[in-house]
């Protein structure tokens, strides 16, 4: 049994596109409280992502001890500031203005747990440079992108119209979407979870 401990639509879509058979169960971890505590302890962006990913995976795996549970999280840092998912389109607009013309770092972490214990984890970073766009361009982008971008820590969907925001991207595409997919698939295949075990491939 494979469980994704995340509400992220993009992570869910990535696993589905990869042909994995899984269910989704939210962890109930208070991410805002955990982030505040970690930031107070001067934890870096990658440490924040890894800690949250592990907490999510462990919390759900304790409910389903025999299942393999995937937890994942992403953080965005720019000029020493840690950004959160914007709660509204207005907040997303201001966040994108703050990131405009800047290079920011996106840190993603994925953890697999079973029986409440971490079995494996992988961290990746990407660097993204936003164009020095005009506010009229930004308004057009927000009108096209819609409320869905508030589910993204960067307020952009690189797989969609969000690609127009950038002048340069250095890093793994899947990592930017919120899940270092290739190392995860390799790990799962070593534990008998992959295309060869999906219902479509059964005799």
């Amino acid at each position: 049994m494979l469980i994704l401990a995340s509400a992220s639509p993009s992570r869910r879509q990535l696993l589905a596109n990869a042909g994995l058979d899984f269910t989704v169960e939210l962890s109930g971890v208070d991410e805002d409280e955990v982030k505040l505590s970690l930031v107070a302890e001067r934890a870096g962006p990658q440490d924040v992502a890894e800690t949250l990913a592990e907490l999510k995976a462990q919390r759900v795996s304790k409910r389903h001890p025999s299942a393999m549970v995937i937890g994942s999280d992403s953080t965005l840092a720019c000029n020493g500031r840690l950004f959160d998912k914007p709660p509204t389109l207005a907040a997303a607009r201001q966040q994108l203005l703050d990131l405009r013309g800047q290079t920011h770092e996106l840190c993603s972490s994925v953890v697999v747990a079973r029986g409440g214990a971490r079995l494996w984890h992988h961290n990746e970073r990407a660097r993204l440079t936003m164009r020095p766009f005009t506010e009229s361009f930004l308004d057009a982008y927000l009108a096209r992108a819609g409320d869905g971008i508030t589910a993204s820590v960067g307020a952009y969907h690189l797989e969609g119209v969000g690609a127009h925001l950038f002048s340069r991207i250095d890093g793994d595409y899947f990592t930017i979407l919120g899940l270092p997919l290739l190392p995860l698939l390799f790990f799962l295949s070593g534990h008998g979870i992959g295309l060869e075990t999906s219902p479509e491939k059964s005799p």
Side-chain angles (χ1 to χ4, degrees):
M1 182 180 183
L2 184 65
I3 301 174
L4 173 63
S6 174
S8 166
S10 62
R11 294 186 185 115
R12 187 181 311 179
Q13 193 63 53
L14 285 174
L15 292 183
N17 289 348
L20 295 180
D21 184 26
F22 66 98
T23 59
V24 174
E25 183 170 328
L26 304 188
S27 66
V29 170
D30 188 335
E31 297 186 38
D32 291 336
E33 182 179 342
V34 173
K35 282 182 183 177
L36 286 174
S37 176
L38 290 171
V39 170
E41 296 171 4
R42 299 181 182 274
Q46 191 72 72
D47 294 327
V48 172
E50 183 178 337
T51 299
L52 284 168
E54 183 167 348
L55 286 173
K56 294 175 191 176
Q58 287 181 331
R59 178 78 63 87
V60 174
S61 70
K62 287 177 181 178
R63 302 176 201 150
H64 306 276
S66 63
M68 298 281 267
V69 180
I70 301 167
S72 190
D73 197 78
S74 298
T75 58
L76 190 157
C78 184
N79 297 327
R81 176 184 169 191
L82 196 65
F83 286 77
D84 289 315
K85 293 176 184 175
T88 64
L89 272 181
R93 187 180 192 278
Q94 183 57 56
Q95 179 167 311
L96 290 168
L97 285 173
D98 292 340
L99 295 173
R100 176 176 59 176
Q102 304 289 321
T103 296
H104 66 262
E105 188 172 64
L106 189 67
C107 301
S108 285
S109 181
V110 58
V111 171
V112 177
R114 184 165 57 194
R118 183 170 86 172
L119 294 181
W120 173 86
H121 80 284
H122 184 85
N123 294 329
E124 291 232 11
R125 299 183 184 211
R127 289 174 60 81
L128 301 92
T129 301
M130 282 198 177
R131 295 166 42 195
F133 47 75
T134 64
E135 292 198 34
S136 60
F137 167 87
L138 178 57
D139 291 335
Y141 162 74
L142 292 170
R144 180 73 66 89
D147 292 337
I149 60 169
T150 59
S152 165
V153 69
Y156 51 78
H157 290 156
L158 188 64
E159 67 274 33
V161 295
H164 290 275
L165 296 168
F166 298 95
S167 60
R168 182 180 177 89
I169 292 173
D170 297 294
D172 176 64
Y173 176 71
F174 298 117
T175 293
I176 297 168
L177 296 190
L179 184 67
L181 183 63
L182 301 185
L184 174 62
L185 293 178
F186 184 75
F187 170 78
L188 293 175
S189 68
H191 288 74
I193 300 174
L195 288 182
E196 67 276 11
T197 59
S198 66
E200 291 81 1
K201 296 296 183 180
S202 300

